[in-house]
Amino acid sequence: MAKIKMTTPIVEMDGDEMTRILWKMIKEDLLEPYIELNTEYYDLGLEHRNETDDQVTIDAANATKKYKVAVKCATITPNAARMKEYDLKEMWRSPNGTIRAILDGTVFRAPIVVKGIEPCVKNWKKPITIARHAYGDVYKNTEMKIPGPGKVELVYTAEDGTETRELVHNYAGPGVAQGMHNLCGSIESFARSCFNYALDTKQDLWFATKDTISKKYTFKDIFQEIFDKDYAEKFKEAGITYFYTLIDDAVARVMKSEGGYIWACKNYDGDVMSDMVSSAFGSLAMMTSVLVSPEGYYEYEAAHGTVQRHYYKHLKGEETSTNSVATIFAWTGALRKRGELDNIPELCAFADKLEKACIKTVENGEMTKDLALITTLDNAKTLNTQDFIKAVRKTLEGLL
């Protein structure tokens, strides 16, 4: 077949460690033989972020605003150990946090469901989509180590110079303090993204926070006001529902449900709960993730990290069996959206077939070790990292 031509670039954000190795394999074996790949490339590997004082992350986010569609490889968020390992100038912030702050979107994460990989929660029959607010809270925090006795206050200084103060704590000895924030405009965008996504996918929408404890730092009222004003009738016409509940109650309900809905969470809750849902459905490497902005920006990525342990094995020349499905689905999501926006149906069809090839390969009993350990299929064959990608290509060839 002739290679599929693209008209507008996808913003390509390369990453770190084992996922960077997967990234190269996926492009060479599954994309470039079939597509004249048109990307604007940004290297978000930690070494290059350090060289550019993290400017490359900002540039990649702004390019996404220009081209509307991006695909991102998993990246390292450095801690003290990474500071030493990579000899960093400073402990750079999470690139995901930086990108999300610039694009102001909502992260939607849903498990990739395949036969033979059964959820740990036996009553889950349908995917559960986590809608994670992608701005602020602990991911844009300011922290302080308190050396000894004293007090910490929150201070708001208005434009006219007047101050409002709230006591955080009177310290009798050493401790720590943390300041977090959010923006009403971002919360409104989060709400609208969730309501629109629910309407697009015809799924019920749940929203949960801990407003019994956090009585002012709450999203609940903004969600309800927007829903009542702009979405109540649309939800009724679509035959779907929206409801709010405490995060405690939501967790209990989720465990007893069949799935098939969107669960909207604040930033940290969504980070944790998406890992819980993906693991319970089978594997962290079997979950899609897309950042959707109300302005029409889309950034696709895998929901998992850089697979550090496998990378160290790879560097030693040892065999790895790293699951590439979520990273492949990041590419297919971006290619499909690019095809939709540019009216290239062949690109959309290719993305659909590549996803089908991934699922069919696993359902045929060819999979990486993480899935082989939990599959209910008989005589499953465990493949190494590269052989799994080659098996997907072979299945793909039969679909094209």
Side-chain angles (χ1 to χ4, degrees):
M1 58 175 276
K3 286 190 179 183
I4 300 166
K5 290 182 170 57
M6 297 173 61
T7 54
T8 310
I10 288 172
V11 177
E12 177 187 351
M13 306 180 198
D14 210 344
D16 288 299
E17 298 188 317
M18 197 63 202
T19 45
R20 189 181 182 98
I21 305 299
L22 294 179
W23 199 258
K24 186 173 184 289
M25 291 179 183
I26 290 166
K27 287 177 64 178
E28 290 179 352
D29 289 340
L30 299 177
L31 303 179
E32 290 172 344
Y34 311 102
I35 303 169
E36 289 188 6
L37 207 55
N38 184 2
T39 71
E40 185 162 305
Y41 179 86
Y42 293 86
D43 183 359
L44 267 58
L46 184 53
E47 291 174 337
H48 190 60
R49 278 183 277 144
N50 191 56
E51 290 170 5
T52 64
D53 295 334
D54 209 29
Q55 182 62 42
V56 66
T57 307
I58 297 168
D59 292 345
N62 286 327
T64 304
K65 284 187 169 184
K66 178 179 179 181
Y67 293 113
K68 308 297 186 186
V69 181
V71 59
K72 180 182 172 294
C73 184
T75 47
I76 295 170
T77 298
N79 55 16
R82 298 297 204 167
M83 282 279 292
K84 183 177 180 181
E85 180 183 356
Y86 283 86
D87 191 23
L88 301 179
K89 299 175 187 175
E90 64 178 84
M91 197 178 297
W92 305 109
R93 289 182 178 270
S94 159
N96 286 340
T98 299
I99 293 164
R100 291 165 189 165
I102 292 171
L103 299 184
D104 187 26
T106 298
V107 177
F108 294 93
R109 290 180 170 174
I112 301 163
V113 179
V114 298
K115 295 175 184 176
I117 309 297
E118 308 302 331
C120 297
V121 183
K122 299 304 180 185
N123 45 280
W124 286 359
K125 309 297 182 187
K126 305 171 187 174
I128 297 169
T129 300
I130 300 290
R132 174 186 171 189
H133 186 217
Y135 178 81
D137 297 353
V138 71
Y139 300 88
K140 293 285 284 183
N141 71 352
T142 299
E143 299 177 326
M144 183 185 296
K145 288 185 177 180
I146 308 304
K151 65 179 179 180
V152 171
E153 296 179 309
L154 280 176
V155 181
Y156 164 67
T157 306
E159 286 187 337
D160 62 6
T162 58
E163 291 186 350
T164 304
R165 292 175 177 268
E166 292 280 354
L167 177 67
V168 176
H169 189 67
N170 275 312
Y171 288 79
V176 292
Q178 182 182 87
M180 300 194 310
H181 79 280
N182 225 295
L183 306 173
C184 289
S186 182
I187 299 167
E188 291 167 4
S189 294
F190 174 40
R192 292 187 184 280
S193 293
C194 290
F195 292 134
N196 288 332
Y197 198 81
L199 288 168
D200 288 344
T201 59
K202 300 294 187 293
Q203 294 184 90
D204 291 341
L205 174 65
W206 302 9
F207 180 48
T209 67
K210 190 75 170 178
D211 68 289
T212 52
I213 301 299
S214 186
K215 299 182 185 298
K216 296 179 182 178
Y217 200 108
T218 178
F219 294 28
K220 174 186 174 184
D221 294 342
I222 291 175
F223 260 72
Q224 195 63 51
E225 288 168 9
I226 291 174
F227 178 75
D228 291 342
K229 180 182 176 183
D230 297 329
Y231 291 94
E233 284 301 316
K234 293 177 183 177
F235 268 54
K236 186 177 180 180
E237 291 171 8
I240 58 176
T241 60
Y242 164 71
F243 82 95
Y244 172 84
T245 188
L246 283 173
I247 189 75
D248 319 54
D249 179 54
V251 170
R253 286 174 180 253
V254 164
M255 300 309 291
K256 295 176 182 178
S257 74
E258 290 189 350
Y261 48 82
I262 301 164
W263 180 10
C265 298
K266 291 167 71 173
N267 208 345
Y268 178 77
D269 295 339
D271 190 359
V272 175
M273 293 304 169
S274 63
D275 282 354
M276 183 271 290
V277 168
S278 62
S279 293
F281 267 99
S283 171
L284 283 170
M286 297 293 286
M287 194 162 199
T288 63
S289 181
V290 57
L291 175 73
V292 181
S293 166
E295 287 77 18
Y297 314 135
Y298 299 84
E299 183 223 2
Y300 296 82
E301 62 178 340
H304 58 75
T306 58
V307 204
Q308 179 184 8
R309 184 172 58 85
H310 286 204
Y311 180 60
Y312 290 160
K313 289 182 68 177
H314 171 79
L315 290 180
K316 293 175 184 176
E318 298 175 11
E319 186 176 77
T320 61
S321 182
T322 311
N323 190 333
S324 54
V325 172
T327 305
I328 295 170
F329 270 61
W331 272 104
T332 56
L335 291 168
R336 184 185 297 106
K337 180 54 66 175
R338 183 80 278 159
E340 290 172 0
L341 294 178
D342 292 355
N343 193 25
I344 307 174
E346 300 87 356
L347 197 57
C348 299
F350 175 82
D352 291 343
K353 288 175 181 177
L354 181 49
E355 289 182 1
K356 186 177 179 181
C358 288
I359 292 170
K360 189 174 180 182
T361 300
V362 174
E363 291 182 345
N364 286 342
E366 295 182 293
M367 61 193 73
T368 46
K369 186 177 179 180
D370 60 316
L371 300 183
L373 289 171
I374 60 173
T375 186
T376 57
L377 297 175
D378 294 328
N379 302 316
K381 183 180 180 182
T382 302
L383 301 179
N384 65 32
T385 303
Q386 191 151 20
D387 284 348
F388 176 74
I389 290 175
K390 289 179 178 178
V392 171
R393 180 171 180 175
K394 184 177 178 180
T395 307
L396 176 64
E397 291 281 359
L399 296 174
L400 293 174

